Amino acid sequence: MTDRPLQCRVCDSSDFIPVLDLGLQPWANDFLTKEQVGKEHLYPLHLVYCSSCGCVQLDFTVPKEVMFSDHTYVSGTTKTLANHFAETARYVRNTFFPHATSPSVLDIGSNDGTQLVQYKDLGFDTVGVESCGRVAAMAEERGIHTVVDFFNEECARKLPKKFDVINAAGVFFHLEELHSATRGIKHVLCEDGVFVIQFLYMKSIVENLAFDQIYHEHLLYYTLRTVERLLALHGLSPFDGYLAPIHGGSMILFVSHAGRRPVSPRLSALYAEEDKAGANSLSWYQKFAQQVQRMKTDTLAYLSAKKKEGKRIFGMGAPVKGNTFLNFCGIGAQYLDCLVEKNPLRKGLYSPGTHLPIVLEEELTNPPDVYLVLAWNFKGEILKNNAALIARGVEFYFPVNPKE
Ligand SMILES: [Zn+2]
């Protein structure tokens, strides 16, 4: 166990205001073997608001060595995600480097190389940095050179060159060494380079009530204003960006050395929408917390009613975020028989905290009456793949129901 930081991870202020208490929770990515069931550590999961810079964040850090040196999240698992990565790579190539021969790209938190494969196909020279050796080995097998390390300034300075593109998909809010990592990015970004940062957009999380995306790996919950502030501290500035539907609302932000490129009209429009919604104010987050409590009540009422009718209920998906949801709502074996998952690395494991067995979708013979959908971010894919079950009357319940 480590510290409860007394200071904001972005601005160093110590004026934290509690926003949402999700209780004591196990590390959500730590799916358990049968022997590990009941032995998991619990850590506080509290969202706090920095009244100085407006950045919401966790007030407790599970050590990164616990969280990232071994994990079972593999980005290659779903088609939606692979398509999204391909689209991002194509956009970067066509927009910023249409004529360059063999531009270089560094991917931070490169996972199994799913994103870099897309860049490689477009003629990029690729390097990945990934902290989990097992996952990095999967990338090497695909021909993607991968440095096994935690990315920070020290790691950046050891890299042999600077890069035209630096990509950080979903990893930027994980970074415990936030300022060191940002300095590292500043150091290895070419003069006219583009840093592509993808993060869960807190405005979308609030609008979708997707509180399940709050878990120990995600230390920070950025809006455009807060990420702009962080980058400015290190001589970097966003110049373009758009909101992609992936994970219910991910911001794809293009960043250059400060002032190198003019701010695009669509990014200016996104800033304006954020300001208009009051998305950096305390009251915005307090309202969110109330709505989350109401959603918990509604979901439990729904599940209880179905159980009374004698229905069999399974969870659809065993995503990491599902554990925040299940643990906060207190949904275990009294409601669900199992979680049905595609990722073979999670086969035979149990969900942390709630101890539900994970069954692979392909091995399932007898479907339930109701699916509680935890992998709601793949709603379109799930509804399409299960059209036959839905036609037979199997219900799919989405507690988190993002706007399409
Ligand atoms: Zn702050």
Side-chain angles (χ1 to χ4, degrees), residues 8 10-13 50 52-55 57:
C8 170
V10 173
C11 78
D12 290 342
S13 157
C50 169
S52 173
C53 75
C55 189
Q57 53 201 290

Side-chain angles (χ1 to χ4, degrees), residues 344-358:
L345 290 179
R346 295 196 181 137
K347 179 184 173 169
L349 298 177
Y350 294 80
S351 59
T354 51
H355 307 157
L356 294 163
I358 296 171

Side-chain angles (χ1 to χ4, degrees), residues 155-393:
C155 168
R157 288 188 183 277
K158 279 191 270 185
L159 294 169
K161 61 176 180 184
K162 292 185 188 276
F163 294 85
D164 296 306
V165 177
I166 300 176
N167 185 71
V171 73
F172 205 56
F173 39 38
H174 295 180
L175 299 170
E176 201 176 316
E177 299 169 288
L178 189 62
H179 292 285
S180 166
T182 314
R183 279 196 300 273
I185 288 158
K186 172 83 180 167
H187 177 74
V188 286
L189 186 65
C190 286
E191 210 171 317
D192 278 318
V194 176
F195 171 35
V196 186
I197 164 176
Q198 307 190 34
F199 56 93
L200 292 177
Y201 186 36
M202 191 54 181
K203 181 166 176 283
S204 300
I205 291 179
V206 170
E207 285 169 350
N208 291 330
L209 283 190
F211 76 90
D212 55 345
Q213 289 176 314
I214 299 166
Y215 47 87
H216 294 112
E217 282 175 50
H218 297 165
L219 299 172
L220 291 136
Y221 299 85
Y222 295 117
T223 59
L224 286 172
R225 289 296 180 205
T226 49
V227 85
E228 177 193 36
R229 181 164 183 149
L230 167 70
L231 293 167
L233 294 172
H234 300 284
L236 297 164
S237 55
F239 65 90
D240 187 23
Y242 63 95
L243 193 57
I246 202 85
H247 299 308
S250 295
M251 189 60 76
I252 317 297
L253 199 57
F254 303 104
V255 174
S256 64
H257 289 288
R260 289 289 300 188
R261 293 168 186 261
V263 176
S264 72
R266 67 174 177 178
L267 181 59
S268 300
L270 286 168
Y271 276 121
E273 274 175 40
E274 189 177 295
D275 294 343
K276 194 175 160 211
N280 292 291
S281 68
L282 176 62
S283 59
W284 164 267
Y285 293 106
Q286 287 170 331
K287 187 170 153 225
F288 166 63
Q290 287 165 3
Q291 289 171 327
V292 167
Q293 296 291 351
R294 197 173 315 139
M295 187 234 266
K296 172 180 174 176
T297 311
D298 292 348
T299 303
L300 290 175
Y302 172 83
L303 294 176
S304 299
K306 292 293 160 189
K307 283 309 271 190
K308 275 200 194 110
E309 292 169 25
K311 306 281 193 196
R312 290 164 70 233
I313 313 172
F314 293 0
M316 169 58 78
V320 174
K321 61 178 176 292
N323 292 322
T324 293
F325 182 84
L326 296 171
N327 282 304
F328 174 65
C329 293
I331 298 170
Q334 81 276 39
Y335 297 111
L336 305 185
D337 294 3
C338 63
L339 303 177
V340 179
E341 167 66 33
K342 277 186 176 173
N343 176 352
L345 290 179
R346 295 196 181 137
K347 179 184 173 169
L349 298 177
Y350 294 80
S351 59
T354 51
H355 307 157
L356 294 163
I358 296 171
V359 178
L360 282 193
E361 191 171 14
E362 61 191 33
E363 293 172 352
L364 198 68
T365 47
N366 191 10
D369 305 301
V370 177
Y371 270 116
L372 174 70
V373 183
L374 300 172
W376 52 263
N377 50 314
F378 299 113
K379 184 179 178 184
E381 203 172 320
I382 287 170
L383 292 179
K384 193 165 142 239
N385 293 345
N386 294 286
L389 286 185
I390 293 166
R392 278 167 48 195

